[in-house]
Amino acid sequence: MKFVYAFSEAHTLGKEQLGGKGAGLSAMTALGLPVPPGFTVTTEACRSYHMQRQTPASLWQEVQTALQQLEHQTGKAFGDPKNPLLLSVRSGARFSMPGMMDTILNLGLTDDVVEGLSVLTGDEGFAYDAYRRLIQMFADVVLGISRHHFETALEDLKLSREVQDDLALSGQDLKELVGQYKRIFKRHAGFEFPQSPQFQLQEAILAVFKSWGNRRAVTYRKLHHIPEHLGTAANVQAMVFGNLGENSGTGVGFTRDPITGTPEVFGEFLLNAQGEDVVAGIRTPQPLSELQTHLPEAHQQLLDTAKLLEEHFLDMQDFEFTIEQGKLFMLQTRAGKRSARAAFKIAHDLVKAGKISKADAVSRIDLASLEQLLYPHPVEGHGQKAVLKGLPASPGTASGVVVFSADEAVEVSRTRPCILVTPETSPEDIHGMASARGILTARGGMTSHAAVVARGMGCPAVVGAGDLQVDREAGVLRIHGQQIRAGETITLNGSTGEVFLGSLPLQEGVLEAEAFEVLSWADGLRRLEVRANADTPQDARRARENGAQGIGLCRTEHMFFSEERIPLVRQMILARTAQEELEALRLLQDLQRRDFEAILLAMDGLPVTIRLMDPPLHEFLPQMSDLLVQVTKLSQQRSETNEEEYQEVLELLERVKQLHEVNPMMGLRGARLGITRPSIICMQVHALAQATQNLLNAGHKPRPEIMIPLTGTAEELAYVRQIVEEVLSSHDLHLPIGSMIEVPRACLVSRQLTRSADFLSFGTNDLTQMTYGYSRDDASRFLGTYVEKGLLEFDPFTRLDEAGVGSLIQLAVQDARKERPGIKLGICGEHGGERHSIAFFHRVGLDYVSCSPFRLLAARLSAAQAALKTGHEEAVLA
Amino acid sequence: MKFVYAFSEAHTLGKEQLGGKGAGLSAMTALGLPVPPGFTVTTEACRSYHMQRQTPASLWQEVQTALQQLEHQTGKAFGDPKNPLLLSVRSGARFSMPGMMDTILNLGLTDDVVEGLSVLTGDEGFAYDAYRRLIQMFADVVLGISRHHFETALEDLKLSREVQDDLALSGQDLKELVGQYKRIFKRHAGFEFPQSPQFQLQEAILAVFKSWGNRRAVTYRKLHHIPEHLGTAANVQAMVFGNLGENSGTGVGFTRDPITGTPEVFGEFLLNAQGEDVVAGIRTPQPLSELQTHLPEAHQQLLDTAKLLEEHFLDMQDFEFTIEQGKLFMLQTRAGKRSARAAFKIAHDLVKAGKISKADAVSRIDLASLEQLLYPHPVEGHGQKAVLKGLPASPGTASGVVVFSADEAVEVSRTRPCILVTPETSPEDIHGMASARGILTARGGMTSHAAVVARGMGCPAVVGAGDLQVDREAGVLRIHGQQIRAGETITLNGSTGEVFLGSLPLQEGVLEAEAFEVLSWADGLRRLEVRANADTPQDARRARENGAQGIGLCRTEHMFFSEERIPLVRQMILARTAQEELEALRLLQDLQRRDFEAILLAMDGLPVTIRLMDPPLHEFLPQMSDLLVQVTKLSQQRSETNEEEYQEVLELLERVKQLHEVNPMMGLRGARLGITRPSIICMQVHALAQATQNLLNAGHKPRPEIMIPLTGTAEELAYVRQIVEEVLSSHDLHLPIGSMIEVPRACLVSRQLTRSADFLSFGTNDLTQMTYGYSRDDASRFLGTYVEKGLLEFDPFTRLDEAGVGSLIQLAVQDARKERPGIKLGICGEHGGERHSIAFFHRVGLDYVSCSPFRLLAARLSAAQAALKTGHEEAVLA
């Protein structure tokens, strides 16, 4: 096995072996661009080093051979004071990664060589400055000696010489400084700065390898799901100098504007400087366009190079260069980071120019940035510091005055935008949540009520902000010592979880025409159908605009929570006689029919999956604790005047107690409710049937489907299905009837369920809850700790847990298809809009995903990317 | 295929084809016993009839052939007035089953034949009485005409003749009655009573087949898990008459005393009567021993026959006989129903006599009756009617005065036995539950707190009695209209779910020496190890007495609920400083160490699985609703004098609110608690380590194992294991560390879990909860409806759901063994003591089951029976 490749022989190898930087350098070399010669030590050497705790036997021999070739090529010799070859060593992994060793420059300098260099260049200052930099970087990177010790010495020297700029120091000054650096080095290292160039080089390469295991790098890989085994390459390259006077310089650039995607070279440079000076930010760089006036030839060469790079890589490039005494050298090239807007623009341009395929364009769009693009976000560089951090529950940014209750939110929102701040939200707060611009809660996780509702409404939300104390009575919220009163303005960023005092300048999320066109290409490439979770006609319309192919989940009970309906719902629940119940049901049926008509109309011609009543009935009643307090108060002030009220509240309390459940999530709800109290679902099916008939009569094409929630046995599904069918047949209707799969058992008996189901839809929120045994209302107490301690790689309510929940889904899909190959299978949980989860759903062969209208665009793109990835993998395997 | 077999040719066929009755008749025929000749139409014919909606083509031809043979054998002819052959038709399935057609007698009688019979016997009364009975039975069984119409006519006749007894009616009377019966028949059937004997016979056989599909029979099969496809046989047999005068008679008997198992013939008879007269109970039968004085020869023949039957069948038999004019005929034999006591005695006797093997003896014991035997139960025939019915949550019967709170129970139990009646119980009621003789709750299912604790304590309990209203304040419980006040006596039967007013006479559960010996044989036959769930030294001792091979589940938190410890536990939970927490922990550690010492000592030499703290912390704090009421009251009467109390309660309320969970079952508990608040489990492990060291120093052999509850990911198990190992190594101890599998996900990743587990134990209570999504505290609201509507075959908390929960367990076992073939796998949920579940655990290859000390005997037996069954199946397959 060969571990070392010269840039000139490596361009057929990929990033896996060369790392990103090495691959870029060898590609540019092959393109005939001016790259300082050098070689790459492959990632394989790094892997081998980490696995066997030593470098491969042949490694140093290969390095020697490559070095000799390099000496031959440059006509210089490593460690030769008369004609010294100086080297840089840089790490370069498959994915760029903060925390890894970056660079050591000027390797090969020793006390002898620096003197030779001084003579050779006639510039003592340059030579000793280079030596000084080497000592400091080597100490830092190889031995972990803080830069601080060296920087203090430099500052002291500048102070004593009364100069501001390093460049103003004389050669003698720098020579003295090197002496001081060497003393500092010895004091901390316990030995003299090594005078063997070979030793310097070996240690630098080893430092690159070791830095793969740095804590920061490990954490970064964990957070970004970069495999641990990849390893990094090390690039050894002949030095070129941008600090050899005013006809030298260094800079970075993009082949396009990374914000807009416009095809014009974009970047900045510094004359008479090395790369690290640009990074350090002591001097202010100039825009690249100004290079033309200083070094017009190099500038033109750079423009030509940029064009060539984009032609070659068929993507926007981010490059680094150095100009040594008028001569341009390219030091790096890679795909450039870009704004979401630019990403679409670039992909679109390249397709239009016939450079890349539509599939390539679609697979290149970074999903996170698309999502970012869709929501208003703070203008970059606003410079404010967050006062609080919670979970980024629903993306987007909102500013408004603080209110503490749903009613207040409704009131205040008439005149001013407001942010609803509560310990947590409940279904009774819906009207307030709909009025507020943003929602902030102290408790709850990524799928708490607040989070789910907020995402569904596209309303920015930060939840589970543990440091937040809400004192509703005093009208104050406290964050550590700080107090914020009702009426004061805050800004929350639901994409990051940050909360700021006052308003922040915002910019709207906009999608340009190019983006829409790229998304339409995505539609042509995906296999998964994309539907929306939508409960209202407004949601349905928005979903349709965003390309939904139907509604995958319409939660009918959400229609009951509105202020004017809840008294009716309570009358139905608390009815003492069949007559009372019937009256309430009749009124509700009429309202529900109208809801259905509007939603079906908005989705005319597309399927609309209506889920029958799911939540436990006590969700519609007042809180038991509120009633308890009320009763206690009334009983203490009991008199003739309030006797009636007391009795009334007491009775209500009794009913609420009867319906109270210890674990409502696993209680009397879903199909169980349909079986023990069928009147409610009968009413719903009647309403749906009437709505359907009315629309059919008016010449429309309603396509309702009925979904029975929370079934866990074939028997209960068959039972409820029969109830539904009887009602439908009284209207002479036949509609598809299916079931929502929300408990693990349903996955285990999916084969039997298919006998009574025309479709099955996985409700992955509840399925995740029960598979893990994590109550989504309570899990925020430990999920944070779990992620922090590395016990969970990610929040399973946000991204589907493939090993657990996923394997249940896979089992269910296989079994269901065994029994009924053509059965329609989908998913309508929160995961329906998340890209890793969508990729999984694609792989296991679901027919559709359904997600919030606001995540539709992302879902369409993800579904296409998943299809492309699978296609690619299949092609590779074939 | 042959569908009809004469008794004399069928004894090599089994019950599957002949049914129980047919098999008994052919066996007796083969033994040379006096059986009236006849033939059996097989179950195969019935199955074929039900599947093809018609009888097999060859059936009636085969019946004709068999009939001719029968005529030949008896020298009589079917339908011949001069020498008539009369027949009975009886059903006989593999398992006897109420609701099926039982018998039609005297088939072959017509208007002509009855006259012939009258002449032949010289007894007009006998002949017309036989015809009358035929018409009535045929009308009832074949056409569904109510017996009532005929019985009224008979009663009217007896009234007009002024006689009490049928036998007092004259031949003429009966002849007239037959005329009336025929008119009644025609009125209801629409046609004359059929005069074709062949038609009568065919219809009777078809009626047997049809009755297999009767609603009552179907329900019975469902309830008793009898396969639907078996079908029934029909037995056609020459009539013999017990009503031909005082030297005739009929009776039933057992080869042994079915209550005690003593080997002496036991039974009763009636002279001059047919079988149905014994059943009807109009005349009182005499004990069989008295037959000696009436018909000594027949009596002696019967004793000899009984002996022969038991010798042949190697089991106690239950038989029917008829004596026709001094001659004995055997009409049926089958294994007799017996008391649990008799079951052991008989099995034991037969082994000792070398008749059957120990394995046979063990496999014959009916488990339900063993369980029954172990608990006190009402004396049979007490004749009282239950006033209330709930779920039979914990077997046994208890009488006592009604008390409404745990404190009252403690108080009252000092002087009188009491029954604790509450809406539901909570951990704070433990002391009261321990004092009460029985527990009755209005809410909760088979695994509610009350049920689990009661079973664990062997305390009879009826739970989820929905008709029960508990008015604690008024000190009254209401059942529909009825009121029962505190201090009144009730009796509850936890084996049946019945509640009675007043005391019932009870008999103690006792196990005789024979039973213990049979159980010890069982121990030699089982593969599954049997452990006990035990939390106290007393439980541990009882478990050891009952043959436990260790403790499979010791719930350490149960030690915290005692009255004197709970303040300390609260101090720990509510500690405001590390110092406060440490103090409480130190005191708790000392108490816990003593608990552990006592339990380990009681189980010296046997493994004791200690489960670390599992429940959420708020279970140890006062109820939020109680505190809310208290705070509200105090705030209304706020003054200087109670200000301090108010502030104290308010603060407590705040802490309780902070810990409050929406779904505590899926909240911060188990391993999650160990991770977020490790101080508690550290304390527990220190206490266990100290206890172990102390016992080792004293020369004992403690064998503790540590079980980490509620893990769902490999990462969290590894994390907690590390904490536990660190504490143990500070004591220089290494103990087995395993995990409890309670969430579905754990089953799906069992392979990964084994990397940090020395053993895995399935907690099937929680696993069932989460797999179904049934909260065991709330499911009683719909589980009853589900079972009633046939949506659930059984309560999955009582008997393991093999299709759902079972398939998860099977998956987990397979995966775990793939990774670590030798890993110890067990189960410690409620199902560990239930026989079907134990059979399943045996089949999937678990190593042990752990159950309540009171179910140990049943578990030992079940485990052996499961092993025998599997062995048998393997032998059959081999």
Side-chain angles (χ1 to χ4, degrees), chain B residues 43-87:
Chain B
T43 56
E44 185 58 39
C46 175
R47 283 196 288 273
S48 169
Y49 170 75
H50 279 282
M51 264 145 66
Q52 293 156 26
R53 317 303 309 161
Q54 62 184 26
T55 51
S58 62
L59 181 64
W60 300 127
Q61 189 48 53
E62 282 193 54
V63 168
Q64 276 313 310
T65 310
L67 186 58
Q68 280 159 18
Q69 196 190 334
L70 193 54
E71 289 178 327
H72 179 73
Q73 226 174 327
T74 55
K76 299 177 181 177
F78 194 49
D80 179 357
K82 298 210 188 69
N83 186 21
L85 173 63
L86 298 191
L87 298 176

Side-chain angles (χ1 to χ4, degrees), chain B residues 498-509:
Chain B
E498 291 168 312
V499 180
F500 303 89
L501 289 184
S503 299
L504 286 193
L506 298 188
Q507 56 195 66
E508 271 298 316

Side-chain angles (χ1 to χ4, degrees), chain B residues 845-872:
Chain B
L846 293 191
D847 297 304
Y848 70 86
V849 297
S850 185
C851 62
S852 132
F854 293 89
R855 302 187 82 178
L856 274 169
L857 304 181
R860 287 162 61 194
L861 184 63
S862 298
Q865 290 181 341
L868 289 170
K869 187 142 188 269
T870 317
H872 175 69

Side-chain angles (χ1 to χ4, degrees), chain A residues 658 672 716 773 781 786, chain B residues 658 672 716 745 773 781 786:
Chain A
Q658 277 168 19
R672 303 163 195 174
E716 66 185 341
R781 273 160 226 241
Y786 269 44
Chain B
Q658 278 170 16
R672 302 164 197 174
E716 66 187 339
R745 193 177 191 281
R781 274 161 225 239
Y786 269 44

Side-chain angles (χ1 to χ4, degrees), chain B residues 733-747:
Chain B
L733 270 180
H734 286 279
L735 300 179
I737 300 171
S739 178
M740 196 155 165
I741 302 288
E742 294 167 277
V743 302
R745 193 177 191 281
C747 293

Side-chain angles (χ1 to χ4, degrees), chain A residues 625 628 658 660 662-666 672 716 719 745 748 770-773 775 778 781 786 789 801, chain B residues 625 628 636 658 660 662-666 672 716 719 744-745 771-773 775 778 781 786 789 801 804:
Chain A
S625 55
L628 256 176
Q658 277 168 19
H660 179 74
V662 181
N663 296 289
M665 187 52 64
M666 305 196 290
R672 303 163 195 174
E716 66 185 341
Y719 188 90
R745 193 178 191 280
L748 299 163
M770 311 231 189
T771 303
Y772 273 95
S775 161
D778 306 307
R781 273 160 226 241
Y786 269 44
K789 290 189 191 292
D801 156 48
Chain B
S625 55
L628 257 176
Q636 297 225 313
Q658 278 170 16
H660 179 73
V662 181
N663 296 288
M665 187 52 65
M666 306 196 288
R672 302 164 197 174
E716 66 187 339
Y719 188 89
R745 193 177 191 281
T771 304
Y772 272 95
S775 159
D778 307 307
R781 274 161 225 239
Y786 269 44
K789 288 189 193 291
D801 155 49

Side-chain angles (χ1 to χ4, degrees), chain A residues 424 443 469 624-626 628-630 632-637 657-669 671-673 675-676 710 712-713 715-716 719 743-746 748-749 752 769-779 781-782 785-786 789-792 801-805 807-808 811, chain B residues 424 443 469 624-626 628-630 632-637 657-669 671-673 675-676 710 712-713 715-716 719 743-746 748-749 752 769-779 781-782 785-786 789-792 801-805 807-808 811:
Chain A
E424 60 200 325
R443 289 204 283 278
Q469 279 192 302
M624 190 165 85
S625 55
D626 292 348
L628 256 176
V629 169
Q630 226 178 320
T632 309
K633 278 187 182 160
L634 286 168
S635 79
Q636 296 225 313
Q637 305 152 345
K657 270 190 185 169
Q658 277 168 19
L659 291 171
H660 179 74
E661 291 181 311
V662 181
N663 296 289
M665 187 52 64
M666 305 196 290
L668 184 49
R669 48 178 286 243
R672 303 163 195 174
L673 197 59
I675 288 167
T676 54
L710 208 77
T713 74
E715 290 76 11
E716 66 185 341
Y719 188 90
V743 302
R745 193 178 191 280
L748 299 163
V749 300
Q752 288 94 297
Q769 285 199 89
M770 311 231 189
T771 303
Y772 273 95
Y774 289 168
S775 161
R776 57 180 175 180
D777 295 303
D778 306 307
R781 273 160 226 241
F782 55 88
T785 310
Y786 269 44
K789 290 189 191 292
L791 301 178
L792 281 176
D801 156 48
E802 294 185 19
V805 183
S807 70
L808 275 178
L811 196 75
Chain B
E424 59 199 327
R443 290 205 283 277
Q469 279 192 300
M624 189 166 83
S625 55
D626 292 347
L628 257 176
V629 169
Q630 224 178 319
T632 310
K633 279 185 182 160
L634 285 169
S635 80
Q636 297 225 313
Q637 305 154 347
K657 271 190 184 170
Q658 278 170 16
L659 290 172
H660 179 73
E661 290 181 310
V662 181
N663 296 288
M665 187 52 65
M666 306 196 288
L668 185 48
R669 47 177 287 244
R672 302 164 197 174
L673 198 57
I675 288 166
T676 55
L710 208 77
T713 72
E715 289 77 12
E716 66 187 339
Y719 188 89
V743 302
R745 193 177 191 281
L748 299 163
V749 299
Q752 289 93 297
Q769 286 199 88
M770 311 234 188
T771 304
Y772 272 95
Y774 290 168
S775 159
R776 58 182 175 179
D777 294 302
D778 307 307
R781 274 161 225 239
F782 56 86
T785 310
Y786 269 44
K789 288 189 193 291
L791 301 178
L792 280 177
D801 155 49
E802 293 185 19
V805 184
S807 69
L808 275 179
L811 195 75

